[in-house]
Amino acid sequence: MLNKVVLFITVASTLMLAPLSGIASAAANPGFTSTYDFNTNLYGAHTFGVTGDGYVTGKFTGTSGPNETVAIIVEIQTCGFFGCNWDGQQVGSTCTKVFSIGVTVTCVFNTGNSNTLHRLDFSEQTGTQYLKGNVVVS
């Protein structure tokens, strides 16, 4: 009987605290500041897990190139019998924005928490012009 009471108290305590979990701001873990420099696409050199409430924010500021529509996704690494691969498995939605010189665009991805490696994948939608800029992922 004592074991059942202890189990009940433990479960009840856990449920009471559950709404508080994930309140800390979510983030790419580790977050990073970098640059993008690509023609038709860029597979992120930076990989990250996701902590907190499962949201990842990317802020992209153009430094050179024309106005260009770019689709950005978060890709997750998949692992199986033959090892781990980047095979286009997307988590969260696609963020499509127009990149311009001096303009900062923000994308928020709801990827869920995961220690599995993630990376950003960019695809130009309207052309193949050379684009460069700065990116902050948190």
Side-chain angles (χ1 to χ4, degrees), residues 62 116 129:
T116 302
Q129 299 297 318

Side-chain angles (χ1 to χ4, degrees), residues 14-53:
T14 302
L15 290 174
M16 274 186 353
L17 296 175
L20 300 177
S21 63
I23 285 179
S25 75
N29 185 20
F32 59 89
T33 299
S34 189
T35 59
Y36 60 87
D37 185 347
F38 66 100
N39 189 356
T40 57
N41 61 38
L42 168 70
Y43 294 101
H46 297 277
T47 58
F48 51 90
V50 180
T51 61
D53 60 9

Side-chain angles (χ1 to χ4, degrees), residues 60-72:
F60 308 88
T61 305
T63 58
S64 102
N67 294 348
E68 180 75 54
T69 302
V70 178
I72 307 159

Side-chain angles (χ1 to χ4, degrees), residues 5 7 12 17 26-27 38 43 47 51 53 56 93 96 100 104-105 108 112-113 117 132:
V5 171
L7 178 62
L17 296 175
F38 66 100
Y43 294 101
T47 58
T51 61
D53 60 9
V56 173
S93 59
T96 303
S100 302
T104 299
V105 297
V108 179
N113 279 341
L117 291 179
K132 291 175 77 171

